[in-house]
Amino acid sequence: MQNQLGGIFKMLLSIIVPLYNTGKFVSQTLHSIQNQTFTDFECIIVDDGSTDQSVQVAQTFTQHDARFKLFLNPHQGLAATLNTALHHVHGNYITFCDSDDYLEADAYQNLQPLIQKNPDLIMSNLYFEKNNHSIQNSNYKFHDLQGAAEIIRSFPLIYRQQLMYYNTNKIYRRNLIDKLSFNDLTVGLDTIFNYQIFAQCKTILFNRDPYYHYLQRKGSLVNHFDPQRLAIREKETHALINLLHQWHADYAKQLLNEEWFNTLINVVTNIYAPLPNGKTLTQSARLNRIKATLTYCLPQINFDCLNSSQASLIHQIQQCVRENNDTVLFQQYSI
């Protein structure tokens, strides 16, 4: 199905694929898009200065399938890559696919009935796939939301299921995106982007059937130590604050307390992620970063609003710092 909008002939769906040094995986990704039973799409591939065979693999698709278009950027990072792609889309709906993930063959065909309802946003379950090929359904629990008031009321449930962290299990109405761009961050881009989208949404439809395979592999952006992780989480939190203030949400204080707890745990967990050489930070360096994270986050957290397991986890982290020994945390969080 194709649409005639404003006198301009537009494709129904634009699929954005950011590309950077994933030559081992991208063929599977692009084949899974090419083999969709739904055919009315364009695939916008933007390379971020890859130094492996990624571009050559992508070119094998663009040379034989007019729906695939490749744009080459110098290496500038993921945000610049995604923003370039947004300048080249023609669809009235937009979605994203990472270049090391893949789709079920009937992914977009099955979503056609929802797209035809003309929503602002479609959100779906997804598959988490690990290196050993074990697959787990995200099993999010949700329902369709009609109107801003219902979206605001339901947002805590969406937030607590961590549905804001991804853009690959979502299909966005293009006119919600036209004035947006991705922040220049190593991670957290999707979260901030989704908060900005939610501020505009009036209709959100939910698809319970997963179709997107998210490969959780070692060496990916989210699975390595990031010295800027606390600063990034702070930007995510401020984006959430802006959204909740815009909504005048009566649950803002409770949700922001949860956000600061989540920031603390996210940053501490990341301290144990691998360095580029495959090793981890020394114990002394880890403990120093944990101390700094506690100093920054604890003043924002009201323990009376935490449940017992959350409070216990913070006490465990504090005890490791007092004892100058983080063996328990290393065993718990190291990959």
Side-chain angles (χ1 to χ4, degrees), residues 3 5 8-16 42 44 69 71 85-94 174:
N3 290 345
L5 297 176
I8 301 175
F9 195 58
K10 294 194 175 183
M11 308 185 79
L12 179 64
L13 183 64
S14 295
I15 306 167
I16 292 175
E42 64 174 2
I44 305 297
K69 301 173 179 65
F71 300 90
L86 291 179
H87 288 306
H88 292 286
V89 295
H90 298 94
N92 49 313
Y93 277 90
I94 296 173
R174 182 185 172 189

Side-chain angles (χ1 to χ4, degrees), residues 169-188:
N169 67 333
K170 299 175 178 65
I171 294 180
Y172 304 85
R173 184 202 292 273
R174 182 185 172 189
N175 62 8
L176 269 64
I177 293 176
D178 281 342
K179 296 181 180 180
L180 297 182
S181 60
F182 286 90
N183 284 251
D184 188 14
L185 304 172
T186 51
V187 294

Side-chain angles (χ1 to χ4, degrees), residues 24-222:
K24 295 179 180 179
F25 307 95
V26 68
S27 180
Q28 180 186 30
T29 301
L30 297 181
H31 272 300
S32 77
I33 295 173
Q34 186 176 53
N35 295 333
Q36 287 297 303
T37 55
F38 170 75
T39 60
D40 188 22
F41 67 83
E42 64 174 2
C43 181
I44 305 297
I45 309 165
V46 180
D47 182 70
D48 185 34
S50 291
T51 57
D52 67 355
Q53 70 272 32
S54 295
V55 170
Q56 289 78 9
V57 174
Q59 286 173 335
T60 64
F61 289 83
T62 60
Q63 290 167 358
H64 300 99
D65 192 330
R67 297 173 302 177
F68 289 79
K69 301 173 179 65
L70 175 63
F71 300 90
L72 304 179
N73 273 1
H75 183 53
Q76 303 174 72
L78 180 58
T81 304
L82 293 172
N83 291 332
T84 296
L86 291 179
H87 288 306
H88 292 286
V89 295
H90 298 94
N92 49 313
Y93 277 90
I94 296 173
T95 191
F96 300 84
C97 182
D98 288 344
S99 60
D100 53 359
D101 298 335
Y102 66 97
L103 306 161
E104 295 287 313
D106 56 1
Y108 301 129
Q109 187 67 46
N110 290 342
L111 289 171
Q112 275 291 88
L114 297 183
I115 295 175
Q116 290 171 357
K117 293 181 180 180
N118 209 28
D120 291 325
L121 177 65
I122 300 171
M123 303 172 66
S124 299
N125 272 301
L126 71 163
Y127 292 115
F128 293 106
E129 185 168 338
K130 296 186 178 180
N131 288 334
N132 62 3
H133 302 296
S134 63
I135 299 175
Q136 182 178 356
N137 184 338
S138 61
N139 200 29
Y140 298 131
K141 307 292 185 184
F142 39 54
H143 61 276
D144 293 346
L145 303 174
Q146 301 288 343
E150 189 174 9
I151 291 171
I152 293 170
R153 284 197 303 271
S154 302
F155 183 76
L157 175 62
I158 294 170
Y159 170 88
R160 287 166 182 148
Q161 293 182 87
Q162 300 183 351
L163 270 160
M164 306 304 287
Y165 288 169
Y166 313 102
N167 61 18
T168 50
N169 67 333
K170 299 175 178 65
I171 294 180
Y172 304 85
R173 184 202 292 273
R174 182 185 172 189
N175 62 8
L176 269 64
I177 293 176
D178 281 342
K179 296 181 180 180
L180 297 182
S181 60
F182 286 90
N183 284 251
D184 188 14
L185 304 172
T186 51
V187 294
L189 297 80
D190 297 355
T191 308
I192 294 174
F193 183 79
N194 285 324
Y195 288 150
Q196 294 171 330
I197 290 292
F198 263 66
Q200 306 176 66
C201 281
K202 299 296 186 294
T203 306
I204 301 177
L205 302 182
F206 292 98
N207 167 50
R208 287 171 174 76
D209 299 320
Y211 61 84
Y212 187 93
H213 288 257
Y214 170 41
L215 180 59
Q216 298 176 298
R217 63 182 179 89
K218 292 182 179 180
S220 65
L221 279 174
V222 296

